[in-house]
């Protein structure tokens, strides 16, 4: 692979990786957010594969394939399982609930907050609106470029020049984590944060040892499994995964 082709493909993969994080911040439909996260997993795997092929490190290519399977396949599947509730577990509301921000939409069965296949439809009222979220994403990206500039100047290679992309996704993931109200959307924010850290490790140091990546991947998968179980139990018990609604029940 020539140096120019490698640089172009790496820039394309990093651009898709960052764009997926911004689109997740923009979208409100939870199903679409899960699908976009899967696409970001493919972009992350592509970044690692390109680095491995360029450096002729087949262990890095193997790690990249494992990351692609986990981030683009296993984790989105688990989140989709948490998103969809079997009909037997859906709560029934005899009358219209008086919850702030609860609106009737075509395709909803009654006012339960599920569409016809049992999936929760969207983030209801995030703490920051769409316009402010996108402006914040732009500001966080500029901040990431400013913070990464000293590191880039130490060794200006195509990989280190893309290092701010990983830092930007870390910041955007943290922003999603603290501004979303649905439990599943907060899980996606946590996973965005992890994707950004993984991308930063690959771009800064050409990846991490295999045993370290396996340990981190196992921890992330276990965390998502636990969160899937908690989300399903929360929905079965309270009929919602809106954190503010659950806090009101506690109060």
């Amino acid at each position: 692979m020539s140096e120019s082709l490698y640089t172009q493909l790496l820039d394309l993969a990093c651009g898709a990786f960052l764009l997926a994080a911004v689109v997740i911040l923009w979208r409100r439909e939870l199903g679409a957010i899960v699908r976009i996260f899967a696409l970001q997993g493919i972009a992350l795997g592509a970044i690692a594969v390109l680095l491995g092929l360029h450096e002729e490190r087949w262990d890095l290519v193997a790690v990249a394939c494992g990351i692609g399977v986990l981030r683009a396949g296993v984790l989105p599947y688990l989140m989709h399982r948490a998103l969809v509730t079997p009909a037997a577990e859906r709560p029934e509301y005899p009358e219209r609930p008086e919850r702030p921000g609860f609106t009737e939409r075509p395709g909803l069965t009654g006012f339960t907050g599920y569409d016809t296949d049992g999936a929760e439809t969207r983030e209801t009222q995030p703490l920051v609106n769409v316009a402010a979220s996108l402006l914040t994403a732009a500001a966080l990206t500029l901040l990431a470029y400013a913070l990464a500039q000293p590191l880039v100047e130490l060794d200006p290679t195509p990989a280190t020049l893309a290092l701010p992309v990983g830092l930007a996704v870390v910041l955007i993931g943290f922003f999603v984590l603290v501004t979303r109200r649905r439990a599943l959307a907060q899980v996606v924010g946590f996973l965005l944060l992890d994707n950004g850290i993984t991308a930063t490790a690959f771009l800064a140091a050409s990846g991490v040892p295999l045993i370290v990546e396996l340990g981190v991947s196992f921890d992330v998968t276990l965390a998502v499994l636990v969160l899937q179980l908690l989300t399903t139990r929360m929905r079965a018990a309270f009929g919602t995964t809106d954190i503010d609604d659950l806090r009101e029940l506690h109060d």
Side-chain angles (χ1 to χ4, degrees), residues 5-25:
L5 178 60
Y6 162 69
T7 302
Q8 292 174 6
L9 291 177
L10 183 62
D11 289 343
L12 179 62
C14 290
F17 183 70
L18 178 59
L19 179 61
V22 175
V23 174
I24 287 174
L25 192 61

Side-chain angles (χ1 to χ4, degrees), residues 133-190:
S133 295
L134 294 178
L135 289 174
T136 303
L140 292 176
T141 303
L142 293 175
L143 177 62
Y145 272 87
L147 293 175
Q149 193 61 35
L151 298 176
V152 173
E153 292 175 352
L154 292 176
D155 185 22
T157 63
T160 55
L161 289 173
L163 185 60
V165 170
L167 295 177
V169 173
V170 170
L171 297 176
I172 291 173
F174 184 75
F175 181 73
V176 172
L177 182 62
V178 300
T179 59
R180 294 301 176 92
R181 298 171 62 177
R182 292 283 188 189
L184 183 65
Q186 293 183 356
V187 171
V188 174
F190 166 74

